[in-house]
Amino acid sequence: MFNKIVQSLCGGLNRREARRRRATRTGSAVLRLRSLRSLRSGAGLFLFIGIWLLTSCTLPSDMPATPADFVLVTDAPTQMPSPTAFSPQTATPSLTPTPTPSPTLTATAQPTLVNGGRTQYILETALDYDTKTLAVKERIQYTNHSSDALTSLMLAVDPNRWSGCFNLQITTVNGHTVTPNIESMRMEIPLETPLVPNETVIIEMAYSLNIPVKQPKQVFGYDGNWQINLVNWYPFIAPYDAEDGWLLHSPSGVGEHLVYEIADFDVIFNVSAEEDVVVAASASTEPQGNTYRYQLEGARTFVFSISSAFSTETVSSENGDVTSFYFPNYAKPGEAILNAGARALEIYSRRYAPYPHEHLSIVQTYLPDGMEYDGLIFMGTNFYDEYDGTLKNNLIALGVHEISHQWFFGLVGSDQALEPWLDESLALYSERIFYEETPPYPVTWWWQWRVNWFKPSGWVDRTIYTDADFRNYTNATYLRGALFLEELRQRVGEEAFNNFLQDYVATYTDKIATGNDFFATLDQHTNVDYSDIVDEYFLNR
Ligand SMILES: [Zn+2]
């Protein structure tokens, strides 16, 4: 079914490939503004296929770790970056499970082996917006691409870091019920017979989430009655490495800990809400009533933000459509980040590789920073508040930063916990690339107030566990990472630097790159000795 739908939409071409070819054909983007549009889902009853909240077992949980405060721009030396948390209104969660028939696992969407055996996630999901509960039926088709026989599968189940949030009802492996071993955010699923190399297994699960109150520095959760953010909301299989085993790290006080394999997503999302709500997601679709079906190929995450308060505006271009989802009275910054986002998509599509998806969502939320996921970025409301009508502010700088993660995080994956510089230094440097291509070219301003003002120090190649100080982390990983790339660019020259970046993205698209891969690719494009620069910025290289 999956295959057929893709073929019917793209005339037999793989959708992603079609996007790339289209983007390659056209140089500059012609933007056309679509009319203001709100996707309204009808209210009313819905039936979710077979499952609903039945159990509410409390699984072991630890407190959610505080995520990174992202680097902030200062526009005056007297102004300190203020990652002070907002105080979103909170509400007592209404967690009254609705008894319904026993969970069954009869997914309507049948997985098929496509795209070289990439992992497929089929998620049939029902959200009750008013009670903040989510019922999910999940099917994973996983092929063992390693040379090891796997005796179990390790899944990340991030919602289980919140007490009482994740309620697993049933798990099956190839149709046989199994009992996973769940400890905090780790779910180990035993395999009766080892999964040998190139063998495929089907995992099915039914579970519900009692969506927690969104903490000020967290993306996940609900914020009053006006927004629910669903990120890392479904169990997913951790990447497996023959040397290091399952790449499933614990949270730290800074940075991101999860590592994602590339996968395909087929998501059916049913929303029931008293009020009209607007759904932002990692892809776009036309809803049928209150049911949305999304298909996203070649992504690492699939996320949602649902709000009764969103207005939307969309810009279409050959590089992909961009939609800005913003709250009332934020039309001006909402439109500014939309236009900067469309421009960033054009610049990075040309400089790195064509944007791999058809759509990008830019979503306002209460957060003291920005946050990237495939096809969707979140931006903190304070950036919208501060917006001054120019390019020289956090909204634009951090907005294009998060968008550049579509290439350095989405297309080219990396271990965000152990080598956070790989995506963050390139994302920060991508801000510079945006500004060097965008009048009035405020590159000097950017270096002064985004980087040098902080007097950055520290080794670029630190992990998120080196220490949990936000400023130390960002100074080293982001800011000195950008300084390193600037020195490197000047040393090897413009042509070699740009060729290297394009080759790096092309070579490691859909893969998880390492620092060794980064430098091995670089060495294919230059004979210039840059070892003194590496010594200056890297501890272990
Ligand atoms: Zn970043």
Side-chain angles (χ1 to χ4, degrees):
M1 184 182 281
F2 191 64
N3 244 346
K4 276 181 194 158
I5 287 165
V6 171
Q7 281 171 2
S8 69
L9 288 175
C10 298
L13 260 188
N14 175 299
R15 199 188 273 201
R16 213 163 177 230
E17 185 58 26
R19 154 71 52 209
R20 282 183 178 152
R21 288 185 195 177
R22 216 163 47 240
T24 310
R25 267 205 313 271
T26 310
S28 62
V30 180
L31 306 181
R32 69 175 190 276
L33 199 65
R34 274 192 193 161
S35 60
L36 203 87
R37 174 174 83 131
S38 286
L39 299 174
R40 306 236 177 240
S41 73
L45 291 173
F46 70 88
L47 280 176
F48 183 64
I49 313 144
I51 57 170
W52 192 239
L53 315 168
L54 273 180
T55 58
S56 57
C57 53
T58 303
L59 297 159
S61 294
D62 52 23
M63 286 300 291
T66 306
D69 295 316
F70 282 69
V71 185
L72 304 178
V73 171
T74 56
D75 56 9
T78 52
Q79 286 184 356
M80 285 297 291
S82 171
T84 309
F86 285 89
S87 302
Q89 291 184 11
T90 55
T92 309
S94 168
L95 302 176
T96 316
T98 309
T100 54
S102 300
T104 55
L105 293 170
T106 49
T108 51
Q110 296 298 320
T112 49
L113 199 62
V114 291
N115 296 326
R118 276 205 295 254
T119 304
Q120 279 187 285
Y121 291 89
I122 297 176
L123 295 146
E124 297 185 30
T125 307
L127 172 69
D128 187 323
Y129 185 83
D130 304 308
T131 61
K132 280 80 177 173
T133 49
L134 189 75
V136 186
K137 191 168 56 173
E138 175 172 353
R139 177 184 289 223
I140 307 172
Q141 179 176 290
Y142 177 80
T143 301
N144 178 8
H145 294 297
S146 81
S147 54
D148 296 342
L150 303 174
T151 55
S152 65
L153 298 177
M154 186 65 81
L155 284 75
V157 51
D158 220 48
N160 205 39
R161 291 163 53 209
W162 283 262
S163 180
C165 173
F166 180 72
N167 308 299
L168 182 64
Q169 292 151 9
I170 186 170
T171 306
T172 67
V173 175
N174 290 336
H176 301 287
T177 304
V178 297
T179 305
N181 177 27
I182 303 179
E183 283 181 29
S184 185
M185 54 168 283
R186 292 161 183 270
M187 178 196 284
E188 187 170 16
I189 297 179
L191 300 176
E192 215 165 70
T193 53
L195 189 68
V196 299
N198 297 317
E199 195 182 1
T200 297
V201 68
I202 304 286
I203 307 292
E204 291 174 291
M205 281 175 276
Y207 53 90
S208 64
L209 300 186
N210 295 321
I211 300 165
V213 174
K214 187 182 112 45
Q215 299 302 311
K217 293 185 180 182
Q218 294 280 349
V219 177
F220 180 60
Y222 74 89
D223 209 350
N225 286 319
W226 65 80
Q227 190 173 33
I228 294 176
N229 294 333
L230 298 174
V231 301
N232 298 317
W233 52 279
Y234 50 87
F236 65 91
I237 299 180
Y240 181 82
D241 182 86
E243 267 181 35
D244 301 323
W246 298 103
L247 295 179
L248 184 49
H249 305 297
S250 299
S252 166
V254 293
E256 289 111 54
H257 59 285
L258 292 170
V259 190
Y260 309 89
E261 260 192 338
I262 205 81
D264 295 338
F265 294 88
D266 190 350
V267 184
I268 296 169
F269 192 65
N270 190 305
V271 188
S272 97
E274 286 276 318
E275 291 180 81
D276 286 351
V277 294
V278 175
V279 178
S282 288
S284 69
T285 191
E286 286 297 326
Q288 296 196 330
N290 51 6
T291 299
Y292 300 70
R293 183 172 187 178
Y294 303 91
Q295 291 177 312
L296 187 67
E297 291 179 62
R300 299 175 193 274
T301 56
F302 198 100
V303 303
F304 287 103
S305 181
I306 307 95
S307 175
S308 54
F310 279 150
S311 292
T312 72
E313 199 168 320
T314 297
V315 163
S316 297
S317 83
E318 287 297 319
N319 303 292
D321 297 350
V322 186
T323 302
S324 178
F325 298 80
Y326 53 88
F327 295 140
N329 303 318
Y330 286 99
K332 195 179 169 199
E335 193 174 311
I337 189 58
L338 173 67
N339 292 327
R343 185 172 182 86
L345 222 56
E346 190 275 315
I347 292 170
Y348 302 146
S349 291
R350 178 163 41 77
R351 296 286 291 256
Y352 304 146
Y355 179 60
H357 307 303
E358 296 184 349
H359 189 263
L360 175 73
S361 300
I362 302 175
V363 178
Q364 184 176 357
T365 194
Y366 285 89
L367 196 71
D369 48 48
M371 190 64 199
E372 76 278 10
Y373 298 93
D374 294 79
L376 187 151
I377 64 161
F378 287 98
M379 292 298 294
T381 284
N382 54 340
F383 304 147
Y384 292 70
D385 284 327
E386 295 165 2
Y387 178 66
D388 59 2
T390 76
L391 293 178
K392 301 198 283 188
N393 51 66
N394 284 316
L395 183 68
I396 305 302
L398 274 78
V400 302
H401 172 116
E402 304 306 342
I403 288 169
S404 76
H405 276 302
Q406 298 300 314
W407 285 264
F408 305 113
F409 162 82
L411 261 186
V412 180
S414 53
D415 188 326
Q416 300 191 102
L418 301 185
E419 292 193 304
W421 71 272
L422 260 185
D423 68 326
E424 293 301 353
S425 66
L426 285 163
L428 199 92
Y429 199 74
S430 295
E431 297 176 33
R432 188 238 201 271
I433 287 175
F434 174 83
Y435 283 124
E436 78 191 33
E437 291 221 10
T438 306
Y441 314 107
V443 176
T444 305
W445 163 87
W446 182 84
W447 279 116
Q448 185 174 2
W449 300 119
R450 176 63 157 152
V451 180
N452 293 327
W453 186 80
F454 295 98
K455 297 184 172 58
S457 62
W459 298 112
V460 170
D461 54 342
R462 53 158 286 165
T463 75
I464 65 168
Y465 308 108
T466 302
D467 68 59
D469 183 88
F470 161 73
R471 186 40 61 193
N472 289 348
Y473 171 63
T474 49
N475 275 358
T477 304
Y478 293 61
L479 305 192
R480 290 199 83 228
L483 288 165
F484 160 70
L485 290 170
E486 180 74 5
E487 280 196 49
L488 187 66
R489 183 181 183 176
Q490 286 174 10
R491 179 72 60 88
V492 303
E494 195 68 10
E495 191 182 350
F497 185 78
N498 289 329
N499 289 342
F500 150 64
L501 280 181
Q502 288 192 354
D503 191 10
Y504 174 68
V505 172
T507 304
Y508 296 100
T509 282
D510 294 355
K511 300 188 174 99
I512 294 173
T514 65
N516 289 339
D517 297 329
F518 176 97
F519 285 103
T521 310
L522 175 61
D523 288 340
Q524 289 173 13
H525 292 274
T526 185
N527 293 319
V528 175
D529 181 9
Y530 58 84
S531 57
D532 56 313
I533 304 177
V534 173
D535 291 343
E536 185 188 343
Y537 288 94
F538 288 78
L539 178 63
N540 297 308
R541 190 157 288 282

